[in-house]
Each structure stands twice: as structure tokens, then as C-alpha cells.
Amino acid sequence: MSFLLSLSRFIDNLNEKIGHGISWALLLAVIICTGNAVIRYLFNMSSNGWLEIQWYLFAAIFLLATSYTLRRNEHVRIDVIVSHFSKRTQVWIDLIGFIVFLMPATLLILYYGTPYAWISIQNQEVSSNAGGLIVWPVKLLIPLGFVLLALQGISEIIKRIGYLKGLVPASAFEKQTATPEEEIAAIKAANQIN
């Protein structure tokens, strides 16, 4: 089990680094979007390439940050219902959800997405829009994103099993961020100080 826990830590660190790195793509997308809008309205000029690069950056953010989101336990959940159960029951629900839903869906998309990207690479696919960009790099993000998600799913399964065996603390997979209620309380406290 120690090897699996080491593997889990490696996967977690990999997805943390990718998540932090891809966050810069959001800033770049906002700058490009703003610049494109300003140039379009001021000079009545535009380019499909600039529009497509925004879409590509959004695709990169979405596909590469999904595993980071799962790593941080920020994915969509049914906390309203599950929060009433014991921690052990919550872990069992997570474990079953990862094995029955996450992994099969991820592997299915990976199964179909890989040939889809490979055909695009082989054909050196280019956008059909005038002034458009090459398409294959963004299609390559599909299998890459789902490989990262599958790896993170494996890491989460390992951590849940480790918890059930008493080898991993719950803090290894709980949300590290404040709840909305905690954030509101912190804002109110800060305003009372001023």
C-alpha cells in the first residue's frame, strides 16, 4: 500500500502543478478577448484566429484543470445529502462513485477521444474558417485531459482505500478552501475591524 500512496502523492503533485500552470491561460484568454474586442470596436478589424485562440485557451483550461478540480475536491457533489452521513459512509460513497461513474466515463471518453485526436494530427487539421488556426493541438488536449483525470481518479481511489484502512487522514482528500459561510463571516469580521 505504501507504493500506491506514493503513486497517489506523485499524481496529486503533478495535477497541482498543471492546475497552477494552466491558471495563467485564463489571464491570457481575458487579455486576448479584451484586446480583440477593443480592436474590433475601435478599428473595425477582427480575425478568426484571435477568436479561435480564445476557444482553444478555454478548452485547455477546462480539460487540463478538471483533474486539478478533482484533486482539490472542488467538483460538483451532493453535499446537502451526503453531509448528514458519517465520514466513513461519505468515503464509501466517493469510492463507489469513482469506480462506477468517474472511471468508466473517463476511460470511455479516452477510448473515443484518442483516435479523434490522432486522425486530426495525421491530417494536420486546420480550421475551415478564414484566418483560422491549426486544430489538432486543441484536439490533442482531449486525451491528455482525460488521462490526467483518470490518473487523478486512481489517486482519489487510493486515498479513499487508504482512509478506510486507517493509513490516510481525511484531510488528504477534503476541501482545503473555506465554505461560503466561512468567507462571509471573514468579510464581516474584516469590515467590523475597519
Side-chain angles (χ1 to χ4, degrees), residues 29-47 50-51 54:
V30 168
I31 291 169
I32 290 171
C33 181
T34 303
N36 193 31
V38 168
I39 289 171
R40 186 172 56 244
Y41 289 114
L42 289 180
F43 304 109
N44 200 24
M45 293 173 23
S46 187
S47 164
W50 287 109
L51 293 173
Q54 293 171 55

PDB file of all heavy atoms in Angstrom, residues 29-47 50-51 54:
ATOM      1  N   ALA A  29      -6.384  34.412 -21.865  1.00  0.00           N
ATOM      2  CA  ALA A  29      -7.660  34.441 -22.594  1.00  0.00           C
ATOM      3  C   ALA A  29      -8.384  35.759 -22.381  1.00  0.00           C
ATOM      4  O   ALA A  29      -8.944  36.329 -23.320  1.00  0.00           O
ATOM      5  CB  ALA A  29      -8.541  33.272 -22.159  1.00  0.00           C
ATOM      6  N   VAL A  30      -8.363  36.275 -21.158  1.00  0.00           N
ATOM      7  CA  VAL A  30      -9.018  37.559 -20.872  1.00  0.00           C
ATOM      8  C   VAL A  30      -8.317  38.697 -21.616  1.00  0.00           C
ATOM      9  O   VAL A  30      -8.971  39.570 -22.196  1.00  0.00           O
ATOM     10  CB  VAL A  30      -9.055  37.823 -19.349  1.00  0.00           C
ATOM     11  CG1 VAL A  30      -9.465  39.253 -19.042  1.00  0.00           C
ATOM     12  CG2 VAL A  30      -9.980  36.842 -18.668  1.00  0.00           C
ATOM     13  N   ILE A  31      -6.997  38.682 -21.618  1.00  0.00           N
ATOM     14  CA  ILE A  31      -6.242  39.731 -22.333  1.00  0.00           C
ATOM     15  C   ILE A  31      -6.536  39.678 -23.823  1.00  0.00           C
ATOM     16  O   ILE A  31      -6.788  40.716 -24.454  1.00  0.00           O
ATOM     17  CB  ILE A  31      -4.730  39.589 -22.052  1.00  0.00           C
ATOM     18  CG1 ILE A  31      -4.441  39.954 -20.601  1.00  0.00           C
ATOM     19  CG2 ILE A  31      -3.908  40.443 -23.008  1.00  0.00           C
ATOM     20  CD1 ILE A  31      -3.036  39.598 -20.138  1.00  0.00           C
ATOM     21  N   ILE A  32      -6.519  38.480 -24.411  1.00  0.00           N
ATOM     22  CA  ILE A  32      -6.792  38.338 -25.840  1.00  0.00           C
ATOM     23  C   ILE A  32      -8.222  38.756 -26.160  1.00  0.00           C
ATOM     24  O   ILE A  32      -8.473  39.473 -27.140  1.00  0.00           O
ATOM     25  CB  ILE A  32      -6.514  36.897 -26.305  1.00  0.00           C
ATOM     26  CG1 ILE A  32      -5.010  36.634 -26.284  1.00  0.00           C
ATOM     27  CG2 ILE A  32      -7.081  36.645 -27.698  1.00  0.00           C
ATOM     28  CD1 ILE A  32      -4.620  35.186 -26.522  1.00  0.00           C
ATOM     29  N   CYS A  33      -9.163  38.341 -25.340  1.00  0.00           N
ATOM     30  CA  CYS A  33     -10.571  38.697 -25.549  1.00  0.00           C
ATOM     31  C   CYS A  33     -10.765  40.208 -25.489  1.00  0.00           C
ATOM     32  O   CYS A  33     -11.428  40.797 -26.343  1.00  0.00           O
ATOM     33  CB  CYS A  33     -11.431  38.007 -24.502  1.00  0.00           C
ATOM     34  SG  CYS A  33     -13.185  38.337 -24.640  1.00  0.00           S
ATOM     35  N   THR A  34     -10.165  40.828 -24.491  1.00  0.00           N
ATOM     36  CA  THR A  34     -10.283  42.282 -24.340  1.00  0.00           C
ATOM     37  C   THR A  34      -9.635  43.007 -25.507  1.00  0.00           C
ATOM     38  O   THR A  34     -10.222  43.923 -26.086  1.00  0.00           O
ATOM     39  CB  THR A  34      -9.630  42.732 -23.012  1.00  0.00           C
ATOM     40  OG1 THR A  34     -10.257  42.018 -21.936  1.00  0.00           O
ATOM     41  CG2 THR A  34      -9.779  44.222 -22.798  1.00  0.00           C
ATOM     42  N   GLY A  35      -8.422  42.584 -25.845  1.00  0.00           N
ATOM     43  CA  GLY A  35      -7.715  43.207 -26.973  1.00  0.00           C
ATOM     44  C   GLY A  35      -8.473  43.050 -28.271  1.00  0.00           C
ATOM     45  O   GLY A  35      -8.584  44.003 -29.059  1.00  0.00           O
ATOM     46  N   ASN A  36      -9.021  41.878 -28.503  1.00  0.00           N
ATOM     47  CA  ASN A  36      -9.779  41.629 -29.723  1.00  0.00           C
ATOM     48  C   ASN A  36     -11.026  42.506 -29.783  1.00  0.00           C
ATOM     49  O   ASN A  36     -11.348  43.078 -30.832  1.00  0.00           O
ATOM     50  CB  ASN A  36     -10.150  40.147 -29.801  1.00  0.00           C
ATOM     51  CG  ASN A  36     -10.667  39.740 -31.160  1.00  0.00           C
ATOM     52  OD1 ASN A  36     -10.272  40.287 -32.180  1.00  0.00           O
ATOM     53  ND2 ASN A  36     -11.550  38.766 -31.168  1.00  0.00           N
ATOM     54  N   ALA A  37     -11.729  42.636 -28.650  1.00  0.00           N
ATOM     55  CA  ALA A  37     -12.939  43.470 -28.619  1.00  0.00           C
ATOM     56  C   ALA A  37     -12.600  44.941 -28.844  1.00  0.00           C
ATOM     57  O   ALA A  37     -13.286  45.640 -29.604  1.00  0.00           O
ATOM     58  CB  ALA A  37     -13.665  43.296 -27.290  1.00  0.00           C
ATOM     59  N   VAL A  38     -11.536  45.424 -28.204  1.00  0.00           N
ATOM     60  CA  VAL A  38     -11.138  46.831 -28.368  1.00  0.00           C
ATOM     61  C   VAL A  38     -10.761  47.111 -29.813  1.00  0.00           C
ATOM     62  O   VAL A  38     -11.208  48.113 -30.408  1.00  0.00           O
ATOM     63  CB  VAL A  38      -9.966  47.177 -27.404  1.00  0.00           C
ATOM     64  CG1 VAL A  38      -9.344  48.518 -27.754  1.00  0.00           C
ATOM     65  CG2 VAL A  38     -10.450  47.169 -25.963  1.00  0.00           C
ATOM     66  N   ILE A  39      -9.964  46.243 -30.410  1.00  0.00           N
ATOM     67  CA  ILE A  39      -9.542  46.443 -31.807  1.00  0.00           C
ATOM     68  C   ILE A  39     -10.743  46.360 -32.748  1.00  0.00           C
ATOM     69  O   ILE A  39     -10.858  47.141 -33.695  1.00  0.00           O
ATOM     70  CB  ILE A  39      -8.451  45.420 -32.185  1.00  0.00           C
ATOM     71  CG1 ILE A  39      -7.154  45.773 -31.454  1.00  0.00           C
ATOM     72  CG2 ILE A  39      -8.224  45.373 -33.685  1.00  0.00           C
ATOM     73  CD1 ILE A  39      -6.070  44.725 -31.561  1.00  0.00           C
ATOM     74  N   ARG A  40     -11.650  45.440 -32.478  1.00  0.00           N
ATOM     75  CA  ARG A  40     -12.827  45.297 -33.336  1.00  0.00           C
ATOM     76  C   ARG A  40     -13.700  46.558 -33.291  1.00  0.00           C
ATOM     77  O   ARG A  40     -14.168  47.032 -34.316  1.00  0.00           O
ATOM     78  CB  ARG A  40     -13.637  44.068 -32.917  1.00  0.00           C
ATOM     79  CG  ARG A  40     -14.785  43.781 -33.872  1.00  0.00           C
ATOM     80  CD  ARG A  40     -15.496  42.455 -33.603  1.00  0.00           C
ATOM     81  NE  ARG A  40     -15.994  42.346 -32.237  1.00  0.00           N
ATOM     82  CZ  ARG A  40     -15.577  41.455 -31.345  1.00  0.00           C
ATOM     83  NH1 ARG A  40     -14.651  40.581 -31.659  1.00  0.00           N
ATOM     84  NH2 ARG A  40     -16.087  41.420 -30.134  1.00  0.00           N
ATOM     85  N   TYR A  41     -13.905  47.128 -32.106  1.00  0.00           N
ATOM     86  CA  TYR A  41     -14.786  48.292 -31.996  1.00  0.00           C
ATOM     87  C   TYR A  41     -14.084  49.594 -32.368  1.00  0.00           C
ATOM     88  O   TYR A  41     -14.712  50.493 -32.914  1.00  0.00           O
ATOM     89  CB  TYR A  41     -15.390  48.375 -30.595  1.00  0.00           C
ATOM     90  CG  TYR A  41     -16.412  47.287 -30.376  1.00  0.00           C
ATOM     91  CD1 TYR A  41     -16.188  46.282 -29.445  1.00  0.00           C
ATOM     92  CD2 TYR A  41     -17.591  47.247 -31.113  1.00  0.00           C
ATOM     93  CE1 TYR A  41     -17.112  45.269 -29.256  1.00  0.00           C
ATOM     94  CE2 TYR A  41     -18.511  46.241 -30.930  1.00  0.00           C
ATOM     95  CZ  TYR A  41     -18.272  45.255 -30.003  1.00  0.00           C
ATOM     96  OH  TYR A  41     -19.193  44.250 -29.829  1.00  0.00           O
ATOM     97  N   LEU A  42     -12.807  49.715 -32.094  1.00  0.00           N
ATOM     98  CA  LEU A  42     -12.093  50.953 -32.420  1.00  0.00           C
ATOM     99  C   LEU A  42     -11.687  51.040 -33.881  1.00  0.00           C
ATOM    100  O   LEU A  42     -11.772  52.105 -34.504  1.00  0.00           O
ATOM    101  CB  LEU A  42     -10.853  51.118 -31.539  1.00  0.00           C
ATOM    102  CG  LEU A  42     -11.088  51.447 -30.077  1.00  0.00           C
ATOM    103  CD1 LEU A  42      -9.758  51.579 -29.337  1.00  0.00           C
ATOM    104  CD2 LEU A  42     -11.902  52.726 -29.922  1.00  0.00           C
ATOM    105  N   PHE A  43     -11.222  49.911 -34.430  1.00  0.00           N
ATOM    106  CA  PHE A  43     -10.668  49.930 -35.787  1.00  0.00           C
ATOM    107  C   PHE A  43     -11.476  49.098 -36.775  1.00  0.00           C
ATOM    108  O   PHE A  43     -11.088  48.989 -37.936  1.00  0.00           O
ATOM    109  CB  PHE A  43      -9.216  49.424 -35.763  1.00  0.00           C
ATOM    110  CG  PHE A  43      -8.339  50.206 -34.834  1.00  0.00           C
ATOM    111  CD1 PHE A  43      -7.883  49.636 -33.655  1.00  0.00           C
ATOM    112  CD2 PHE A  43      -7.985  51.513 -35.124  1.00  0.00           C
ATOM    113  CE1 PHE A  43      -7.080  50.344 -32.787  1.00  0.00           C
ATOM    114  CE2 PHE A  43      -7.177  52.232 -34.256  1.00  0.00           C
ATOM    115  CZ  PHE A  43      -6.725  51.653 -33.087  1.00  0.00           C
ATOM    116  N   ASN A  44     -12.584  48.515 -36.328  1.00  0.00           N
ATOM    117  CA  ASN A  44     -13.437  47.691 -37.174  1.00  0.00           C
ATOM    118  C   ASN A  44     -12.636  46.573 -37.858  1.00  0.00           C
ATOM    119  O   ASN A  44     -12.814  46.300 -39.034  1.00  0.00           O
ATOM    120  CB  ASN A  44     -14.181  48.549 -38.205  1.00  0.00           C
ATOM    121  CG  ASN A  44     -15.398  47.828 -38.752  1.00  0.00           C
ATOM    122  OD1 ASN A  44     -15.939  46.938 -38.111  1.00  0.00           O
ATOM    123  ND2 ASN A  44     -15.812  48.217 -39.949  1.00  0.00           N
ATOM    124  N   MET A  45     -11.712  45.982 -37.102  1.00  0.00           N
ATOM    125  CA  MET A  45     -10.896  44.880 -37.615  1.00  0.00           C
ATOM    126  C   MET A  45     -11.056  43.693 -36.666  1.00  0.00           C
ATOM    127  O   MET A  45     -11.239  43.867 -35.469  1.00  0.00           O
ATOM    128  CB  MET A  45      -9.411  45.276 -37.656  1.00  0.00           C
ATOM    129  CG  MET A  45      -9.096  46.364 -38.645  1.00  0.00           C
ATOM    130  SD  MET A  45      -7.389  46.981 -38.575  1.00  0.00           S
ATOM    131  CE  MET A  45      -6.443  45.716 -37.854  1.00  0.00           C
ATOM    132  N   SER A  46     -10.958  42.507 -37.238  1.00  0.00           N
ATOM    133  CA  SER A  46     -11.018  41.312 -36.416  1.00  0.00           C
ATOM    134  C   SER A  46     -10.355  40.168 -37.155  1.00  0.00           C
ATOM    135  O   SER A  46     -10.039  40.277 -38.337  1.00  0.00           O
ATOM    136  CB  SER A  46     -12.465  40.961 -36.087  1.00  0.00           C
ATOM    137  OG  SER A  46     -12.498  39.896 -35.163  1.00  0.00           O
ATOM    138  N   SER A  47     -10.155  39.085 -36.450  1.00  0.00           N
ATOM    139  CA  SER A  47      -9.534  37.903 -37.041  1.00  0.00           C
ATOM    140  C   SER A  47     -10.147  36.662 -36.414  1.00  0.00           C
ATOM    141  O   SER A  47     -10.323  36.600 -35.191  1.00  0.00           O
ATOM    142  CB  SER A  47      -8.023  37.935 -36.782  1.00  0.00           C
ATOM    143  OG  SER A  47      -7.459  36.669 -37.010  1.00  0.00           O
ATOM    144  N   TRP A  50      -7.893  35.081 -33.735  1.00  0.00           N
ATOM    145  CA  TRP A  50      -7.960  35.589 -32.359  1.00  0.00           C
ATOM    146  C   TRP A  50      -9.157  35.013 -31.612  1.00  0.00           C
ATOM    147  O   TRP A  50      -9.073  34.731 -30.426  1.00  0.00           O
ATOM    148  CB  TRP A  50      -8.010  37.115 -32.336  1.00  0.00           C
ATOM    149  CG  TRP A  50      -6.702  37.728 -32.689  1.00  0.00           C
ATOM    150  CD1 TRP A  50      -6.380  38.392 -33.833  1.00  0.00           C
ATOM    151  CD2 TRP A  50      -5.513  37.702 -31.890  1.00  0.00           C
ATOM    152  NE1 TRP A  50      -5.077  38.788 -33.808  1.00  0.00           N
ATOM    153  CE2 TRP A  50      -4.510  38.378 -32.622  1.00  0.00           C
ATOM    154  CE3 TRP A  50      -5.185  37.182 -30.651  1.00  0.00           C
ATOM    155  CZ2 TRP A  50      -3.214  38.533 -32.139  1.00  0.00           C
ATOM    156  CZ3 TRP A  50      -3.896  37.338 -30.171  1.00  0.00           C
ATOM    157  CH2 TRP A  50      -2.936  38.009 -30.913  1.00  0.00           C
ATOM    158  N   LEU A  51     -10.271  34.841 -32.322  1.00  0.00           N
ATOM    159  CA  LEU A  51     -11.442  34.218 -31.690  1.00  0.00           C
ATOM    160  C   LEU A  51     -11.162  32.754 -31.362  1.00  0.00           C
ATOM    161  O   LEU A  51     -11.501  32.270 -30.280  1.00  0.00           O
ATOM    162  CB  LEU A  51     -12.657  34.320 -32.609  1.00  0.00           C
ATOM    163  CG  LEU A  51     -13.203  35.729 -32.848  1.00  0.00           C
ATOM    164  CD1 LEU A  51     -14.302  35.708 -33.903  1.00  0.00           C
ATOM    165  CD2 LEU A  51     -13.720  36.316 -31.549  1.00  0.00           C
ATOM    166  N   GLN A  54      -8.999  32.097 -28.305  1.00  0.00           N
ATOM    167  CA  GLN A  54      -9.775  32.193 -27.059  1.00  0.00           C
ATOM    168  C   GLN A  54     -10.474  30.869 -26.771  1.00  0.00           C
ATOM    169  O   GLN A  54     -10.477  30.394 -25.629  1.00  0.00           O
ATOM    170  CB  GLN A  54     -10.826  33.302 -27.173  1.00  0.00           C
ATOM    171  CG  GLN A  54     -10.259  34.695 -27.253  1.00  0.00           C
ATOM    172  CD  GLN A  54     -11.354  35.698 -27.585  1.00  0.00           C
ATOM    173  OE1 GLN A  54     -12.353  35.770 -26.891  1.00  0.00           O
ATOM    174  NE2 GLN A  54     -11.163  36.468 -28.642  1.00  0.00           N
TER     175      GLN A  54
END
